[in-house]
């Protein structure tokens, strides 16, 4: 009897897996098309960005001319704030600041980070769930949920235009299903007319590229014992802050979708633990062994605390 029951369980599990795996693969392929469309099409979108701090109205234009990506992000309200992309340079124009250019392959603040993700990599750690079809911005759209399998991160709901594959709405949700941020397209245009409008950017006089100091191979006296699945260290540094005697040691981590930093500095404070969350960003601080540990980034508070609690201090780090 036990052998029959075991056989039934194994057969049922294999049938479920065979149904889920193709669906996961198909959804991942469609989401990858969204990323490709956002980088390759000529389009203009007007959209609103809704966060806990308020609502912003923005316009974004994107074109590819002679294999060179061009972009323009314009804040539609208040003082004129503009970001331009030409090739691998991103130029920033802010009131009261000297314009500058940084290296980059896309304007970071224009589309939600999920749009630029590597879905082949994320498929190892996230589930891509097709929710169905609906209409958004007067366009037929396909809806997907992106959820971390280990439950340690926020999740996304994406509305993708069925024809162009461009994202029309993206909601960032916490683990209770509350919306933390929303990106929502109001209107958009796709075609050669956008390419014609962007031609002038090819000859525009943009500010020079800022040179950043080269990364150093810094040895730190501590390390994290636990990280969410798929998260990797992408940078580390040791730096002095104004009015702070001791340097701050930092590691930056990312899974390609969410990022956070772990910061450690000697402390004389007696406050054992503090926590603050604003929208997607959490700040978790605790004092241990005379060191102040601060987690800052796109994490649920419970995940930030677990990371902070896992940190161990070593005299000779690997």
């Amino acid at each position: 009897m036990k052998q029959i029951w075991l056989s039934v369980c194994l057969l049922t599990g294999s049938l479920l897996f065979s149904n889920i795996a193709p669906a996961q693969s198909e959804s991942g392929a469609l989401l990858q098309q969204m990323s490709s469309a956002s980088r390759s099409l000529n389009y203009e979108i007007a959209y609103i960005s809704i966060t806990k701090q308020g609502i912003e109205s923005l316009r974004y234009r994107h074109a590819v001319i002679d294999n060179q990506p061009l972009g323009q992000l314009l804040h539609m309200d208040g003082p004129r704030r503009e970001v331009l992309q030409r090739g691998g340079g991103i130029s920033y124009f802010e009131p009261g600041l000297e314009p500058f250019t940084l290296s980059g392959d896309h304007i970071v603040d224009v589309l939600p980070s999920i749009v630029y993700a590597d879905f082949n990599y994320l498929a190892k750690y996230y589930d891509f769930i097709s929710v169905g079809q609906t209409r958004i911005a007067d366009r037929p759209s396909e809806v997907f949920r992106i959820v971390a399998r280990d439950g340690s991160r926020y999740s996304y709901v994406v509305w993708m235009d069925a024809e162009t594959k461009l994202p029309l709405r993206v909601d960032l949700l916490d683990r209770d299903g509350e919306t933390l941020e929303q990106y929502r397209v109001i209107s958009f245009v796709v075609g050669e007319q956008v390419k014609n409008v962007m031609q002038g950017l090819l000859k525009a006089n943009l500010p020079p590229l800022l040179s950043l100091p080269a990364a150093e191979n810094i040895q730190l006296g501590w390390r994290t014992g636990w990280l969410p699945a798929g998260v990797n260290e992408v940078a580390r540094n040791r730096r002095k802050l104004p009015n702070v005697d001791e340097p701050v040691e930092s590691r930056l981590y990312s899974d390609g979708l969410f990022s956070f930093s772990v910061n450690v500095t000697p402390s004389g404070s007696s406050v054992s633990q503090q926590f603050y969350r604003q929208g997607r960003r959490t700040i978790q601080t605790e004092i241990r062994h005379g060191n102040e540990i601060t987690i800052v980034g796109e994490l649920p508070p419970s995940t930030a605390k677990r990371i902070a609690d896992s940190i161990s201090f070593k005299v000779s780090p690997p």
Side-chain angles (χ1 to χ4, degrees):
M1 187 64 180
K2 290 183 178 179
Q3 290 179 337
I4 295 174
W5 178 247
L6 179 59
S7 299
V8 170
C9 290
L10 290 174
L11 177 59
T12 302
S14 65
L15 289 174
L16 286 173
F17 182 78
S18 65
N19 288 331
I20 293 171
Q24 170 89 346
S25 177
E26 181 180 348
S27 297
L30 288 170
L31 289 167
Q32 197 67 54
Q33 288 181 39
M34 176 185 68
S35 181
S36 298
S38 300
R39 295 173 182 267
S40 62
L41 294 181
N42 304 310
Y43 60 94
E44 176 183 314
I45 55 175
Y47 68 97
I48 56 174
S49 175
I50 305 173
T51 67
K52 299 298 183 182
Q53 289 72 51
I55 301 175
E56 277 193 291
S57 301
L58 304 103
R59 186 189 70 204
Y60 176 58
R61 291 172 176 155
H62 179 272
V64 179
I65 302 177
D66 297 331
N67 294 320
Q68 182 173 219
L70 305 173
Q72 180 199 39
L73 173 65
L74 182 66
H75 294 257
M76 302 296 286
D77 303 321
R80 186 180 178 89
R81 297 161 56 203
E82 186 177 22
V83 185
L84 300 176
Q85 176 183 10
R86 185 170 64 193
I90 313 295
S91 301
Y92 295 83
F93 300 85
E94 296 271 352
L97 296 176
E98 191 71 22
F100 62 93
T101 298
L102 297 175
S103 296
D105 63 356
H106 65 272
I107 299 174
V108 173
D109 298 328
V110 63
L111 299 177
S113 59
I114 186 70
V115 176
Y116 300 105
D118 180 352
F119 291 97
N120 292 323
Y121 176 77
L122 292 181
K124 305 172 188 175
Y125 311 104
Y126 286 80
D127 287 325
F128 309 141
I129 305 165
S130 176
V131 179
Q133 296 183 331
T134 187
R135 192 170 68 93
I136 195 86
D138 198 27
R139 301 279 297 187
S141 303
E142 301 183 60
V143 188
F144 301 92
R145 283 184 63 95
I146 295 95
V147 183
R149 293 198 188 104
D150 63 5
S152 64
R153 280 150 285 187
Y154 299 130
S155 62
Y156 277 100
V157 182
V158 176
W159 286 256
M160 182 179 68
D161 182 53
E163 179 184 350
T164 66
K165 308 305 180 188
L166 290 172
L168 298 183
R169 175 176 166 181
V170 179
D171 287 8
L172 176 67
L173 308 179
D174 68 10
R175 294 193 294 182
D176 296 324
E178 179 186 354
T179 301
L180 299 175
E181 295 181 4
Q182 184 181 102
Y183 157 92
R184 190 167 192 147
V185 171
I186 305 302
S187 65
F188 77 105
V189 176
V190 178
E192 289 296 308
Q193 62 268 46
V194 181
K195 191 174 181 178
N196 295 335
V197 171
M198 296 293 285
Q199 284 279 354
L201 184 53
L202 290 173
K203 299 180 180 179
N205 185 22
L206 299 178
L209 182 69
L210 287 182
S211 59
L212 299 177
E216 299 179 15
N217 183 19
I218 300 171
Q219 297 297 315
L220 305 180
W222 55 272
R223 61 180 176 180
T224 51
W226 178 85
L227 292 169
V231 168
N232 297 297
E233 181 181 330
V234 295
R236 64 172 65 180
N237 63 59
R238 182 186 291 112
R239 64 191 186 281
K240 291 290 296 280
L241 297 179
N243 303 319
V244 177
D245 295 333
E246 300 290 343
V248 177
E249 297 183 346
S250 302
R251 282 183 164 101
L252 177 65
Y253 296 94
S254 177
D255 65 356
L257 187 54
F258 297 107
S259 301
F260 62 92
S261 65
V262 180
N263 309 277
V264 175
T265 185
S267 173
S269 173
S270 59
V271 178
S272 60
Q273 186 171 271
Q274 290 180 323
F275 133 75
Y276 174 73
R277 192 185 96 175
Q278 185 177 54
R280 69 160 63 206
R281 289 177 178 82
T282 291
I283 301 176
Q284 172 78 34
T285 300
E286 65 178 63
I287 307 297
R288 197 163 74 246
H289 303 310
N291 292 286
E292 181 176 298
I293 303 166
T294 305
I295 314 294
V296 181
E298 304 163 329
L299 292 171
S302 58
T303 301
K305 185 178 187 312
R306 185 174 177 185
I307 294 170
D309 290 344
S310 77
I311 290 176
S312 61
F313 295 89
K314 297 172 66 69
V315 176
S316 301

